[in-house]
Amino acid sequence: ILPLLCFSQKHVSGITDTEEERIKEAAAYIAQRNLLASEEGVTTSKQSTASKQSTASKQSMTSKQSTASRQSTASKQSVVSKQATSTLQQEETFEKKSRKVAIREKAERLSLRKTLEETEAYHAKLNEDHLLHAPEFIIKPRSHTVWEKENVKLHCSIAGWPEPRVTWYKNQVPINVHANPGKYIIESRYGMHTLEINACDFEDTAQYRASAMNVKGELSAYASVVVKRYKGEFDETRFHAGVSTMPLSFAVTPYGYASKFEIHFDDKFDVSFGREGETMSLGCRVVITPEIKHFQPEIQWYRNGVPLSPSKWVQTLWSGERATLTFSHLNKEDEGLYTIRVRMGEYYEQYSAYVFVRDADAEIEGAPAAPLDVKCLEANKDYIIISWKQPAVDGGSPILGYFIDKCEVGTDNWSQCNDTPVKFARFPVTGLIEGRSYIFRVRAVNKTGIGFPSRVSEPVAALDPAEKARLKSNICGSLSILGYPECVLLMFPCCFSEGIVPGPPTDLSVTEATRSYVVLSWKPPRQRGHEGIMYFVEKCEAGTENWQRVNTELPVKSPRFALFDLAEGKSYSFRVRCSNSAGVGEPSDATEVTVVGDKLDIPKAPGKIIPSRNTDTSVVVSWEESTDAKELVGYYIEASIAGSGKWEPCNNNPVKGSRFTCHGLVTGQSYIFRVRAVNAAGLSEYSQDSEAIEVKAAIAPPSPPHDITCLESFRDSMVLGWKQPDKIGGAEITGYYVNYREVIDGVPGKWREANVKAVSEEAYKISNLKENVVYQFQVAAMNMAGLGAPSAVSECFKCEEWTIAVPGPPHSLKCSEVRKDSLVLQWKPPVHSGRTPVTGYFVDLKEAKAKEDQWRGLNEAAIKNIYLKVRGLKEGVSYVFRVRAINQAGVGKPSDLAGPVVAETRPGTKEVVVNVDDDGVISLNFECDQMTPKSEFTWSKDYVSTEDSPRLEVESKGNKTKMTFKDLGMDDLGLYSCDVTDTDGIASSYLIDEEELKRLLALSHEHKFPTVPVKSELAVEILEKGQVRFWMQAEKLSGNAKVNYIFNEKEIFEGPKYKMHIDRNTGIIEMFMEKLQDEDEGTYTFQLQDGKATNHSTVVLIGDVFKKLQKEAEFQRQEWIRKQGPHFAEYLSWEVTGECNVLLKCKVANIKKETHIVWYKDEREISVDEKHDFKDGICTLLITEFSKKDAGIYEVILKDDRGKDKSRLKLVDEAFKELMTEVCKKIALSATDLKIQSTAEGIRLYSFVTYYVEDLKVNWSHNGTAIRYSDRVKTGVTGEQIWLQINEPTPNDKGKYVMELFDGKTGHQKTVDLSGQGKQIFYRARVLGGLPDVVTIQEGKALNLTCNVWGDPPPEVSWLKNEKALASDDHCNLKFEAGKTAYFTINGVSTADSGKYGLVVKNKYGSETSDFTVSVFIPEEEARMAALEAQKGGKKAK
């Protein structure tokens, strides 16, 4: 008997969207299991033990969810208590079980525990990235209609992971609850999002948007709120009670709702070309009429008909009047037809243009382009199948295959999935971690190298779809094979049957087979037990019975498997076995024999490539699709200029269908095309080349004319005017047809033809009308392709005689020569001139978006021309124009508007260029690259055709035209323009005024009578040998240039005296003369002739000019002779060194080993200690301590067998004074800072110099006053020391002392300040005198010394002997009396008293030491030493 268990259904996801929900799921599972275990009060001990073990395995999580457990227990109390009797019977059955059954139950409990632990570990490592999904509205906000002062709430419920962030908008503007406190209340509770609007008023009538956004994208839902007033502004019958049934974007006005909207696109994006990695924006301005203030349109972008949502690759923006689509990083996946759809209620308009994305430049030249559109076709626990599209560009050599890379989400570590390239554009990636999310990319490889990687795929999780569905289902929702929930079977294994060996899988098949891998698919067995099962795959080579297990190490968990490493070309059969803890089941039925190889064939080449004309830059290519093509991805189209042999891709994203428009072609060029198909197996062969086609616009009927107006009215006729169609259909308009109809009491009649023969002008007089009858008109244009659609019906005009005095409106306004800051406006005079002739015109302008009151006039005075060049426009701004005529009666009505016209200079715009040829002929030239086969050049002067002008001649050939002036003069002043017919208004003009006329005539004269341009006029220079060079330089000389050399009006020729040379590359013309003699005085001229051009240049060498040049030439010749032997490159000069010595130096050249140098002073040779080695070519003579004795004339002679050279330097008189001044300056600069020294007599100030000379004057000053020298204050020089001695200093001697050293020009000062020294200088202790330096005394004698000392305060006195303190005793008596006198007495000196003694005096301002030496001798010893010395002297004498 099995227990009957009931559970309330709860939607608890196995793979939850938040961590919180995951915890709740686990808690609910444990709580339900514990409930069943704890409620069984009569179970056996085995059951209690099992329940405790199960409870212990989840104890920590259960304690956290105790509240949830108690609630679950309470909800199941009644059900479980009713099963008590059944449980008692179950206990008896369990006790009778055998030991074998008990062991099996224990094993199953251990297996259950292990399963629970694995589940916990699985959730712990589960990567949440594959759970990410974009926001989704479960409940969308609804539209409401409410009365004023009422409140309204908008609700919505949103799903998504991570949890989306919700923002509310009013008319596309975010709602700020803080800007108007209390007006709006925004709440988010339990997944329900609410916007409450309090006290609604009419301003709250708007479109509201709830925008939900997370990392996967953004989604919006719209609702309209209409606030009705009690005063009857709204027609309440037009609204339903409760929720409004209007479309979301239906515009409601205060007077009802609009029946129709007109949606126009301005400033539209055109066919665009980008490159991988670049950014691009598509946009256009949206104009909606009528304009509803409180409602905004719904904007949706599409690519190839598929709606686009914002992502990291593409962003959309709506500014209120302009819609923009921005690509942050272009990829080839972005190529396609882009459409913007603008919806207002039930009405919408759309506009489309194609975007082409070219391949990025390869890093390795010749490498293939990147694959594209990488997707995950199938994902499970064991592998993920990746697919991609092959690139159009292979780099010049066939693609060998592809490498697939993977990267775990959240990391940057890319790893390659396949070791060898795969050719098939699908590949199963294995080796994934279950539950982790991955992204993939693909790279193509050819013989040159590996190309750029593709754009990464979307993240995908390695998870079996069936497992994911099971975990997302109700926790106990799925039934086991026994009819009970699987969770019950798992919690109570002892209650059910024994473990069951699973049966064989079913429906085994080969779903995909390529040369690289084979994919198997099957269904799980129905007999599988209550455990999870795994699979083993076996293979068998055809013709044998040898079955081999493929996955011996890694069991398969999902009913899909990819086999690799199969031998290509061999045949195999496959079967699958299931296994669980009970054992391995029987195998499935074997598959049919499968040959390892690509099952999918490469498609055949397309056929019948037919190009047809489209526009002047595009061609439509159609073809027959490939026959028997399977899984076709699309087609690649390539184009080549006929005869070039170079093919370029027309698309980089395969297109489906059999027709494609190739853009970006060159107008007028002939192209051929070819197509190939592509599927996962590869690219087909190229189709046959198409026939060549010239790129030019296809001919079509013109579009309708527009802006029909009445130019003049009579009693029985009317004159109509209109504007030319915007599109002429690629051919010139040949005429117009006019229809008219009567309108009686607002009811129009039937249309009638006004003209049988086409009208060539944009104006026509319609006769035989009825007076005072109202008429409407239509106009249709015609070209060679046929009659175009008729125009819109004109407004009503009444046929009556015009009696107004002012002129009618001008007509046929046309804008040409449009540039970024100017354009030319032309018009035709009014048909009705009024009572008097038209005397002029006024031109008005305003921006296209400006209001009617913002018209402004361009001319204050009326102009008589029927054209005006408008200047000062703003680039990129759209303008409209109108013209008014004036006569004596006044200003007439304005014309119809011309425009709008955007002020911009289009790419490729060219201007009229003036040219003057070699014969002086003046012409205007123009070139156009955008001509059609029927385009013609039309020249005009002041916008009047010059076709019959006798003064001009026009020649046109191809895309170039030239207008030549036969005799340019004052009659030709004016504005010349050139228009190109059958184009989009291509034109240019050139103004010839009086100033330009003068310039052109002067330029023409120069060309008729040309001169050779000269850079440098004729000049003369002396060369180093004394040669004379005459030279000049022309701008340029041809190979035919000639020069005549003239001297005193006679031509001279090359010979012994004259050497001529012409360098035609540089234009330099030269003539050389070896020597200037007296007969060479005169005038020299060079005459140039180069074709028709001539020129000349002259130099005059007469009188002093000639003599000076002759003297210089002789000098240079002598110098050259001197330099043939050893010579001085730089003559003798002097330099004072840093040591204050004088260095005589010279630089020599052209010397050799035998060259000698000799120095002289006053014609007497100076002996030099060392022989000069001429190193660096410098010779020097150093004179130390330079003084007056060194004055004289110095000379140095350089000589060898080639000759000699000498250099003299006078150092006498002024030159000597100059040198001594520099020496004294250096000595003065070498002086050290003044120092202070105390002496026995007083103070000495001193400074050292390098050496002293008498020429250096020394002056001392004290406090700015020159010192008067006396016996007390003296100055002098001792060696290198300059000093000032101050004896017996007093406080008056304090102050600033300055020593000035005067070098003869400049004084150099050194200062010292004795003010700060103060008492340290004047009152410190010092020894005044009395002590000798050395005392020699006989042994036994008495030594008495007396010394005077001074200091204030009186100094302390101490004595030293051999640097050690000496104390007074009976032998050595030391006394100091009256603070001035010190006594030193030794009674009976001995040799022990010999040594160095010192007297130290010290007070608080300083100290001083005076040393003396005592030498004691013995008389007998002296006598003995004298005798010895005498003996030694006698021996030497012998």
Side-chain angles (χ1 to χ4, degrees):
I1 300 174
L2 298 177
L4 180 61
L5 304 177
C6 297
F7 298 93
S8 62
Q9 290 249 337
K10 280 193 175 183
H11 187 276
V12 182
S13 173
I15 302 181
T16 56
D17 293 328
T18 63
E19 186 65 27
E20 180 182 0
E21 292 181 6
R22 187 182 298 162
I23 295 173
K24 290 180 180 179
E25 172 197 344
Y29 177 87
I30 299 300
Q32 290 172 351
R33 190 199 61 196
N34 290 345
L35 168 65
L36 298 176
S38 61
E39 291 294 325
E40 294 292 339
V42 290
T43 56
T44 63
S45 60
K46 293 181 180 179
Q47 287 176 301
S48 289
T49 303
S51 176
K52 290 176 182 178
Q53 290 173 349
S54 177
T55 304
S57 66
K58 294 295 182 176
Q59 185 174 0
S60 60
M61 186 174 293
T62 305
S63 62
K64 295 179 181 177
Q65 303 293 335
S66 59
T67 304
S69 179
R70 286 195 296 271
Q71 292 174 351
S72 179
T73 302
S75 66
K76 310 304 178 197
Q77 181 76 29
S78 60
V79 178
V80 179
S81 62
K82 291 178 182 180
Q83 306 302 323
T85 305
S86 298
T87 306
L88 290 173
Q89 294 174 358
Q90 191 177 1
E91 178 185 0
E92 295 176 0
T93 303
F94 291 158
E95 287 178 345
K96 295 177 182 179
K97 289 182 178 178
S98 65
R99 176 177 178 81
K100 178 179 179 181
V101 174
I103 292 174
R104 177 178 290 279
E105 289 176 348
K106 183 175 181 181
E108 289 177 346
R109 286 195 297 272
L110 292 174
S111 177
L112 174 61
R113 179 185 301 174
K114 183 178 180 181
T115 300
L116 292 174
E117 292 173 351
E118 289 177 349
T119 302
E120 288 183 1
Y122 170 78
H123 284 298
K125 71 179 182 179
L126 186 63
N127 192 319
E128 294 184 356
D129 289 331
H130 71 287
L131 303 177
L132 304 179
H133 60 273
E136 178 184 2
F137 279 90
I138 307 302
I139 300 174
K140 293 184 178 180
R142 297 184 303 171
S143 298
H144 290 266
T145 301
V146 297
W147 294 101
E148 282 188 315
K149 307 302 181 183
E150 290 184 346
N151 298 344
V152 66
K153 282 188 177 182
L154 303 179
H155 304 272
C156 65
S157 178
I158 304 168
W161 176 254
E163 184 177 354
R165 177 173 58 86
V166 178
T167 306
W168 290 90
Y169 293 81
K170 175 183 177 182
N171 289 338
Q172 307 302 329
V173 178
I175 294 176
N176 185 356
V177 297
H178 303 291
N180 194 356
K183 180 66 178 178
Y184 302 102
I185 299 175
I186 298 177
E187 294 182 344
S188 297
R189 293 184 179 180
Y190 309 111
M192 181 63 72
H193 305 274
T194 305
L195 169 65
E196 182 175 0
I197 307 172
N198 295 318
C200 293
D201 55 26
F202 182 71
E203 293 297 324
D204 294 319
T205 298
Q207 183 187 71
Y208 292 84
R209 174 164 69 99
S211 171
M213 181 181 293
N214 63 10
V215 295
K216 292 296 290 182
E218 187 269 346
L219 188 65
S220 296
Y222 297 83
S224 297
V225 173
V226 178
V227 181
K228 299 195 296 184
R229 290 179 175 172
Y230 291 100
K231 297 181 180 181
E233 287 86 340
F234 285 101
D235 184 358
E236 298 178 13
T237 63
R238 295 183 182 270
F239 297 92
H240 298 278
V243 179
S244 173
T245 60
M246 295 183 300
L248 292 180
S249 299
F250 202 88
V252 180
T253 70
Y255 309 99
Y257 57 88
S259 60
K260 184 177 180 181
F261 291 96
E262 292 186 3
I263 303 173
H264 302 280
F265 298 99
D266 287 341
D267 193 14
K268 297 176 289 190
F269 60 94
D270 203 349
V271 174
S272 303
F273 295 86
R275 192 175 294 276
E276 283 184 299
E278 296 178 346
T279 59
M280 177 185 287
S281 289
L282 307 178
C284 63
R285 191 169 68 91
V286 181
V287 179
I288 302 174
T289 54
E291 183 178 357
I292 307 300
K293 178 179 180 182
H294 298 287
F295 287 87
Q296 294 293 327
E298 179 182 345
I299 309 294
Q300 179 63 56
W301 289 86
Y302 297 84
R303 178 172 60 233
N304 298 330
V306 179
L308 291 176
S309 298
S311 66
K312 68 177 180 179
W313 306 110
V314 62
Q315 296 85 35
T316 59
L317 176 65
W318 169 246
S319 65
E321 65 173 11
R322 186 173 183 84
T324 306
L325 180 72
T326 302
F327 302 91
S328 58
H329 184 284
L330 276 176
N331 293 280
K332 289 186 288 189
E333 289 85 345
D334 297 318
E335 182 173 293
L337 182 66
Y338 283 82
T339 302
I340 178 174
R341 178 177 294 176
V342 179
R343 180 183 293 275
M344 283 293 287
E346 297 176 348
Y347 304 98
Y348 72 86
E349 291 289 343
Q350 64 186 31
Y351 169 75
S352 302
Y354 212 89
V355 171
F356 293 87
V357 182
R358 297 186 174 97
D359 290 297
D361 294 333
E363 288 184 347
I364 304 173
E365 186 176 356
L372 64 155
D373 207 12
V374 179
K375 294 181 179 178
C376 302
L377 294 183
E378 183 181 330
N380 53 52
K381 299 177 183 178
D382 301 299
Y383 67 90
I384 295 174
I385 295 182
I386 303 300
S387 72
W388 60 91
K389 294 178 182 176
Q390 297 91 334
V393 177
D394 57 14
S397 58
I399 293 178
L400 303 177
Y402 301 88
F403 288 112
I404 298 90
D405 303 331
K406 68 180 179 182
C407 176
E408 188 175 341
V409 173
T411 70
D412 294 325
N413 301 321
W414 287 93
S415 59
Q416 189 170 298
C417 302
N418 54 318
D419 295 329
T420 58
V422 295
K423 278 201 169 184
F424 204 78
R426 283 200 295 270
F427 186 77
V429 179
T430 59
L432 307 177
I433 301 176
E434 184 179 350
R436 301 284 178 90
S437 291
Y438 297 88
I439 54 177
F440 300 89
R441 69 184 186 189
V442 181
R443 296 171 293 151
V445 59
N446 62 9
K447 68 178 183 181
T448 303
I450 301 176
F452 284 116
S454 66
R455 184 165 79 178
V456 299
S457 68
E458 293 295 325
V460 64
L463 191 66
D464 186 19
E467 178 70 10
K468 182 175 180 180
R470 187 183 69 81
L471 292 174
K472 281 193 173 235
S473 65
N474 297 335
I475 189 170
C476 295
S478 60
L479 296 179
S480 70
I481 59 174
L482 296 178
Y484 289 91
E486 289 187 4
C487 60
V488 176
L489 297 178
L490 291 173
M491 288 188 292
F492 299 98
C494 55
C495 301
F496 305 99
S497 62
E498 299 181 5
I500 299 175
V501 175
T506 59
D507 296 339
L508 175 64
S509 63
V510 177
T511 59
E512 188 170 339
T514 70
R515 69 183 65 180
S516 303
Y517 63 90
V518 171
V519 177
L520 302 178
S521 175
W522 61 88
K523 292 183 179 178
R526 293 187 57 81
Q527 180 183 344
R528 54 185 293 187
H530 56 76
E531 303 180 50
I533 60 175
M534 292 184 290
Y535 306 94
F536 291 100
V537 180
E538 299 176 349
K539 69 178 180 180
C540 175
E541 192 170 342
T544 68
E545 292 297 330
N546 183 18
W547 287 95
Q548 298 177 351
R549 183 169 293 178
V550 177
N551 56 326
T552 55
E553 298 180 357
L554 184 66
V556 180
K557 299 178 183 179
S558 59
R560 305 281 191 283
F561 187 70
L563 289 82
F564 296 88
D565 301 327
L566 299 176
E568 184 177 354
K570 289 191 174 182
S571 300
Y572 295 88
S573 295
F574 306 93
R575 68 185 186 187
V576 181
R577 294 175 183 266
C578 300
S579 69
N580 62 7
S581 60
V584 179
E586 292 296 322
S588 66
D589 294 336
T591 63
E592 295 181 359
V593 175
T594 301
V595 180
V596 177
D598 293 335
K599 279 190 173 182
L600 185 64
D601 295 327
I602 295 176
K604 296 180 181 179
K608 291 186 179 180
I609 312 302
I610 301 175
S612 57
R613 288 174 181 159
N614 186 41
T615 69
D616 56 0
T617 59
S618 64
V619 168
V620 176
V621 179
S622 59
W623 59 88
E624 286 186 357
E625 297 194 42
S626 302
T627 57
D628 301 328
K630 296 180 180 179
E631 300 183 25
L632 188 66
V633 174
Y635 297 90
Y636 283 123
I637 302 92
E638 295 185 358
S640 173
I641 297 177
S644 69
K646 182 179 180 182
W647 291 91
E648 295 291 341
C650 296
N651 63 315
N652 273 318
N653 197 345
V655 295
K656 293 187 176 180
S658 59
R659 190 173 184 272
F660 184 72
T661 303
C662 301
H663 289 271
L665 307 179
V666 179
T667 305
Q669 286 282 11
S670 294
Y671 285 83
I672 56 175
F673 300 87
R674 65 185 185 186
V675 184
R676 58 177 173 173
V678 58
N679 65 4
L683 280 78
S684 72
E685 295 293 331
Y686 286 106
S687 68
Q688 291 185 352
D689 296 349
S690 71
E691 294 183 357
I693 186 172
E694 184 181 357
V695 179
K696 58 183 179 180
I699 299 176
S703 61
H706 53 93
D707 294 343
I708 301 174
T709 184
C710 181
L711 301 178
E712 190 169 7
S713 179
F714 305 94
R715 286 186 302 171
D716 58 352
S717 62
M718 301 175 74
V719 179
L720 295 182
W722 56 85
K723 289 186 179 178
Q724 180 177 300
D726 294 331
K727 298 179 180 178
I728 63 174
E732 185 179 356
I733 292 178
T734 57
Y736 298 92
Y737 288 93
V738 182
N739 297 332
Y740 69 95
R741 68 183 178 185
E742 297 179 0
V743 180
I744 301 174
D745 297 330
V747 179
K750 293 182 179 180
W751 288 106
R752 300 179 184 179
E753 294 181 352
N755 59 315
V756 177
K757 185 179 179 181
V759 179
S760 59
E761 298 290 333
E762 285 98 35
Y764 181 65
K765 183 176 181 179
I766 305 172
S767 304
N768 299 323
L769 301 180
K770 297 177 183 179
E771 188 176 5
N772 296 324
V773 174
V774 176
Y775 291 91
Q776 287 181 329
F777 301 91
Q778 270 186 341
V779 182
M782 183 181 69
N783 62 9
M784 64 181 300
L787 188 65
S791 66
V793 178
S794 72
E795 60 180 281
C796 295
F797 301 111
K798 190 175 182 180
C799 183
E800 58 183 353
E801 185 79 32
W802 280 4
T803 58
I804 56 176
V806 296
H811 63 98
S812 301
L813 273 68
K814 182 178 76 170
C815 294
S816 63
E817 302 177 33
V818 180
R819 303 294 185 264
K820 65 181 180 180
D821 57 355
S822 66
L823 58 79
V824 174
L825 181 66
Q826 303 175 53
W827 60 89
K828 291 184 179 180
V831 176
H832 175 70
S833 61
R835 294 179 181 174
T836 58
V838 174
T839 58
Y841 301 92
F842 291 98
V843 180
D844 302 329
L845 161 148
K846 78 177 183 71
E847 293 185 12
K849 297 187 294 184
K851 297 180 180 179
E852 285 297 319
D853 59 355
Q854 294 186 2
W855 284 100
R856 60 184 178 90
L858 293 176
N859 53 314
E860 295 182 359
I863 58 174
K864 293 184 178 181
N865 296 328
I866 54 173
Y867 66 89
L868 177 66
K869 184 151 189 176
V870 182
R871 304 180 186 274
L873 303 180
K874 298 178 182 177
E875 185 175 4
V877 177
S878 182
Y879 295 91
V880 292
F881 303 87
R882 69 184 185 187
V883 181
R884 295 169 294 148
I886 185 174
N887 61 9
Q888 292 182 358
V891 179
K893 292 182 179 180
S895 66
D896 285 343
L897 302 185
V901 179
V902 178
E904 62 179 355
T905 302
R906 296 181 181 179
T909 298
K910 297 185 178 180
E911 304 293 347
V912 172
V913 178
V914 67
N915 180 59
V916 181
D917 64 14
D918 293 340
D919 296 325
V921 178
I922 302 170
S923 62
L924 296 178
N925 300 267
F926 184 63
E927 181 179 354
C928 177
D929 296 332
Q930 303 177 30
M931 297 181 66
T932 65
K934 296 189 176 182
S935 295
E936 294 181 356
F937 294 103
T938 303
W939 285 94
S940 61
K941 176 186 177 183
D942 296 332
Y943 299 98
V944 176
S945 177
T946 59
E947 186 174 359
D948 299 326
S949 175
R951 302 182 61 82
L952 302 169
E953 183 177 328
V954 176
E955 179 184 0
S956 299
K957 187 176 181 180
N959 64 338
K960 298 180 181 179
T961 181
K962 178 171 70 173
M963 184 179 70
T964 304
F965 294 93
K966 295 181 179 180
D967 185 14
L968 185 64
M970 294 297 292
D971 294 338
D972 298 310
L973 298 179
L975 182 64
Y976 292 85
S977 62
C978 182
D979 289 79
V980 185
T981 63
D982 200 23
T983 60
D984 190 13
I986 295 177
S988 180
S989 61
Y990 192 88
L991 176 64
I992 298 181
D993 54 14
E994 291 188 15
E995 184 177 349
E996 179 67 4
L997 177 66
K998 292 178 181 179
R999 187 187 73 84
L1000 292 176
L1001 291 177
L1003 189 60
S1004 175
H1005 184 270
E1006 289 180 8
H1007 286 209
K1008 285 181 180 179
F1009 310 101
T1011 59
V1012 178
V1014 174
K1015 276 188 179 180
S1016 301
E1017 296 291 340
L1018 186 59
V1020 184
E1021 65 178 359
I1022 305 300
L1023 304 182
E1024 64 174 358
K1025 294 183 180 181
Q1027 292 178 316
V1028 181
R1029 176 183 180 240
F1030 296 83
W1031 70 279
M1032 67 175 294
Q1033 186 176 9
E1035 290 279 354
K1036 61 179 180 179
L1037 293 174
S1038 70
N1040 299 322
K1042 297 180 180 179
V1043 180
N1044 295 325
Y1045 303 88
I1046 308 299
F1047 171 60
N1048 290 339
E1049 299 182 357
K1050 292 182 180 180
E1051 186 174 0
I1052 55 178
F1053 302 94
E1054 184 161 349
K1057 186 172 184 177
Y1058 303 105
K1059 304 294 182 183
M1060 287 88 167
H1061 178 258
I1062 302 175
D1063 188 339
R1064 290 176 173 81
N1065 293 325
T1066 61
I1068 295 178
I1069 305 164
E1070 301 172 298
M1071 183 180 75
F1072 299 93
M1073 296 175 63
E1074 288 295 328
K1075 187 177 181 181
L1076 273 182
Q1077 299 177 350
D1078 294 341
E1079 60 268 20
D1080 295 324
E1081 184 177 3
T1083 302
Y1084 294 83
T1085 301
F1086 286 5
Q1087 294 179 348
L1088 283 69
Q1089 183 174 359
D1090 192 355
K1092 292 173 59 177
T1094 60
N1095 207 337
H1096 71 277
S1097 185
T1098 301
V1099 64
V1100 179
L1101 301 180
I1102 297 174
D1104 293 340
V1105 175
F1106 176 77
K1107 292 179 181 179
K1108 182 178 180 181
L1109 188 66
Q1110 189 180 31
K1111 184 178 180 181
E1112 183 182 354
E1114 183 63 25
F1115 172 77
Q1116 290 294 340
R1117 184 164 50 257
Q1118 294 298 329
E1119 278 292 291
W1120 181 83
I1121 295 172
R1122 180 180 69 86
K1123 292 179 180 179
Q1124 300 311 301
H1127 63 275
F1128 292 96
E1130 293 179 6
Y1131 288 107
L1132 199 59
S1133 62
W1134 55 263
E1135 176 186 335
V1136 180
T1137 66
E1139 293 78 19
C1140 303
N1141 298 323
V1142 174
L1143 183 69
L1144 303 184
K1145 62 179 182 177
C1146 58
K1147 188 173 183 180
V1148 298
N1150 197 16
I1151 58 175
K1152 59 182 183 178
K1153 198 178 280 186
E1154 293 79 11
T1155 304
H1156 297 282
I1157 186 169
V1158 183
W1159 293 87
Y1160 294 90
K1161 178 191 176 187
D1162 297 333
E1163 299 181 355
R1164 288 194 291 182
E1165 184 178 349
I1166 302 174
S1167 61
V1168 181
D1169 296 337
E1170 297 179 2
K1171 185 177 179 181
H1172 204 285
D1173 59 0
F1174 300 111
K1175 187 177 180 181
D1176 300 328
I1178 303 296
C1179 296
T1180 59
L1181 177 66
L1182 183 65
I1183 305 174
T1184 59
E1185 297 187 3
F1186 191 86
S1187 60
K1188 289 181 179 180
K1189 62 181 175 58
D1190 298 310
I1193 299 174
Y1194 290 82
E1195 186 178 42
V1196 58
I1197 296 177
L1198 195 65
K1199 61 182 178 179
D1200 60 20
D1201 56 355
R1202 297 170 296 169
K1204 70 176 181 178
D1205 196 9
K1206 65 181 178 179
S1207 177
R1208 300 182 69 189
L1209 180 63
K1210 293 184 179 180
L1211 295 181
V1212 294
D1213 301 329
E1214 294 299 326
F1216 177 77
K1217 290 181 181 179
E1218 182 181 356
L1219 176 56
M1220 282 307 301
T1221 299
E1222 185 64 22
V1223 171
C1224 292
K1225 179 181 178 181
K1226 288 285 187 179
I1227 295 174
L1229 293 175
S1230 70
T1232 62
D1233 293 336
L1234 286 174
K1235 294 184 179 179
I1236 305 169
Q1237 180 184 12
S1238 297
T1239 63
E1241 296 80 12
I1243 302 171
R1244 172 171 287 190
L1245 307 180
Y1246 64 93
S1247 172
F1248 287 99
V1249 293
T1250 304
Y1251 69 92
Y1252 178 76
V1253 293
E1254 294 179 357
D1255 298 82
L1256 184 65
K1257 305 301 181 183
V1258 181
N1259 298 310
W1260 292 86
S1261 63
H1262 177 222
N1263 291 334
T1265 303
I1267 296 177
R1268 293 183 178 181
Y1269 304 111
S1270 61
D1271 292 339
R1272 193 178 73 88
V1273 179
K1274 301 177 181 179
T1275 184
V1277 177
T1278 303
E1280 292 83 23
Q1281 186 187 66
I1282 302 174
W1283 49 265
L1284 176 69
Q1285 179 70 35
I1286 304 174
N1287 296 327
E1288 297 180 3
T1290 65
N1292 292 332
D1293 295 321
K1294 293 181 180 180
K1296 181 178 180 182
Y1297 287 82
V1298 177
M1299 178 186 71
E1300 183 181 58
L1301 304 178
F1302 185 70
D1303 60 17
K1305 289 184 178 180
T1306 309
H1308 306 272
Q1309 297 181 345
K1310 297 291 183 179
T1311 62
V1312 68
D1313 196 345
L1314 297 184
S1315 300
Q1317 304 294 331
K1319 297 180 179 181
Q1320 286 83 351
I1321 295 295
F1322 299 99
Y1323 301 123
R1324 69 177 181 83
R1326 58 180 183 270
V1327 178
L1328 296 180
L1331 293 177
D1333 293 333
V1334 178
V1335 176
T1336 301
I1337 188 171
Q1338 183 178 346
E1339 185 180 23
K1341 299 291 184 179
L1343 176 61
N1344 294 302
L1345 298 175
T1346 302
C1347 177
N1348 297 322
V1349 300
W1350 186 88
D1352 187 9
E1356 299 176 358
V1357 175
S1358 60
W1359 296 85
L1360 301 175
K1361 179 182 179 183
N1362 297 329
E1363 304 298 333
K1364 295 182 180 180
L1366 179 65
S1368 178
D1369 55 19
D1370 294 340
H1371 179 66
C1372 181
N1373 186 12
L1374 307 175
K1375 291 183 180 180
F1376 181 54
E1377 295 180 354
K1380 294 182 179 180
T1381 305
Y1383 299 96
F1384 179 85
T1385 302
I1386 299 178
N1387 297 316
V1389 296
S1390 64
T1391 57
D1393 295 321
S1394 296
K1396 180 181 178 182
Y1397 290 83
L1399 170 63
V1400 180
V1401 293
K1402 180 180 180 182
N1403 66 4
K1404 65 180 181 178
Y1405 297 117
S1407 63
E1408 186 175 303
T1409 301
S1410 179
D1411 297 325
F1412 62 93
T1413 301
V1414 175
S1415 176
V1416 180
F1417 67 92
I1418 303 172
E1420 295 82 1
E1421 187 67 21
E1422 289 290 328
R1424 187 176 64 81
M1425 292 300 295
L1428 288 175
E1429 288 295 329
Q1431 291 177 1
K1432 289 180 180 180
K1435 290 180 180 180
K1436 288 181 180 180
K1438 290 179 182 180

